[in-house]
Amino acid sequence: VLPDEVSAGYSWLNPDVTFLDQSHTRILPGIWEEVSKAMFTGREITISYRKPGDNAGSRRTVRPYHMLSYGGEWYLAAYCCTRGEVRSFALSRMEEALVSQTPFEKPADFSITDYLGSQFGITREEGEHTVVVEFSGGAAPFIRERVWQREQEVVELPGGGVRLRFTAGSLVEVRRWILSWGGAAKVIEPESLVRDMASEVCAMRELYEKTNGK
């Protein structure tokens, strides 16, 4: 989590420095060991994978390229032999993992940065979106002090607010992030996201009106 220009020596790893845990997913015993073994030995791995909401999981063989941690979850970027492309797999959604004896070579031109593209979160979809969000004065200091996306642009607004502009390869996590700001954030672009937010706000209002009516 340190800036690119800063490095820390081993002296930082002492009892006077603490890393607080955030909420995190549960990984089945043995999954981590099998996945890391496959990645570091350059062997294919067969996994049983269940997506959220699926009643039945799928079994597939993948070639593990890179592991990354994000938002309390560990993900594996791997070439899926079934789909014929690189995909991200959450380790917590793996129900079984077995390293095979089949070796593979990771492509020399594979780059996790290129794979993630215009990253805002971990979710990837086709295309890119220009996202513009305006934040009220109360939220503005928190927006200014963080890098939310590598190529972001922050513009000061009259009254102390700010406008944040960035590109994203997916709007899935952008939606959740904007909702976390409540009434302090207003989406300006894209129009599809404006409609989604308006629909979500209406649904929440109906939910609470029903609750208060009981």
Side-chain angles (χ1 to χ4, degrees):
V1 298
L2 294 173
D4 292 339
E5 300 82 4
V6 179
S7 62
Y10 292 116
S11 59
W12 279 82
L13 302 179
N14 66 62
D16 296 325
V17 179
T18 297
F19 296 87
L20 293 178
D21 289 337
Q22 57 183 352
S23 62
H24 57 274
T25 57
R26 296 184 178 91
I27 299 174
L28 292 176
I31 295 294
W32 176 273
E33 288 79 4
E34 289 295 293
V35 171
S36 58
K37 184 195 304 181
M39 186 173 67
F40 290 114
T41 60
R43 297 188 181 277
E44 294 183 350
I45 183 171
T46 300
I47 61 174
S48 179
Y49 195 76
R50 186 189 299 271
K51 294 182 180 180
D54 282 358
N55 294 324
S58 62
R59 196 171 184 83
R60 61 186 79 189
T61 298
V62 302
R63 298 170 181 171
Y65 288 173
H66 193 98
M67 278 206 293
L68 63 152
S69 175
Y70 172 75
E73 172 68 277
W74 278 95
Y75 294 90
L76 175 68
Y79 178 84
C80 178
C81 297
T82 302
R83 301 293 184 183
E85 61 183 6
V86 179
R87 292 198 167 192
S88 296
F89 301 92
L91 266 65
S92 64
R93 296 171 189 160
M94 295 182 185
E95 299 181 327
E96 187 179 20
L98 182 63
V99 179
S100 76
Q101 297 301 312
T102 305
F104 74 90
E105 288 190 13
K106 181 171 68 173
D109 60 352
F110 175 78
S111 163
I112 190 63
T113 301
D114 293 342
Y115 168 70
L116 293 173
S118 299
Q119 178 186 356
F120 191 96
I122 195 68
T123 307
R124 296 178 70 252
E125 295 177 326
E126 293 296 328
E128 286 190 342
H129 309 270
T130 297
V131 179
V132 180
V133 187
E134 292 186 353
F135 294 87
S136 65
F142 302 100
I143 299 301
R144 294 189 190 100
E145 70 184 11
R146 283 184 177 244
V147 177
W148 303 98
Q149 202 266 1
R150 291 190 303 272
E151 299 177 357
Q152 70 183 31
E153 174 186 320
V154 179
V155 177
E156 299 294 326
L157 298 176
V162 296
R163 179 185 298 119
L164 177 67
R165 178 190 297 269
F166 58 89
T167 57
S170 169
L171 295 178
V172 173
E173 291 173 78
V174 175
R175 293 186 187 97
R176 292 198 290 263
W177 177 71
I178 292 173
L179 286 170
S180 72
W181 291 97
K186 178 182 178 182
V187 180
I188 306 302
E189 296 180 31
E191 183 60 33
S192 61
L193 185 56
V194 174
R195 292 194 299 269
D196 286 348
M197 291 297 101
S199 177
E200 190 69 29
V201 170
C202 289
M204 293 174 66
R205 180 176 180 177
E206 291 180 4
L207 176 64
Y208 284 101
E209 284 179 344
K210 291 178 181 179
T211 301
N212 294 332
K214 290 183 179 180

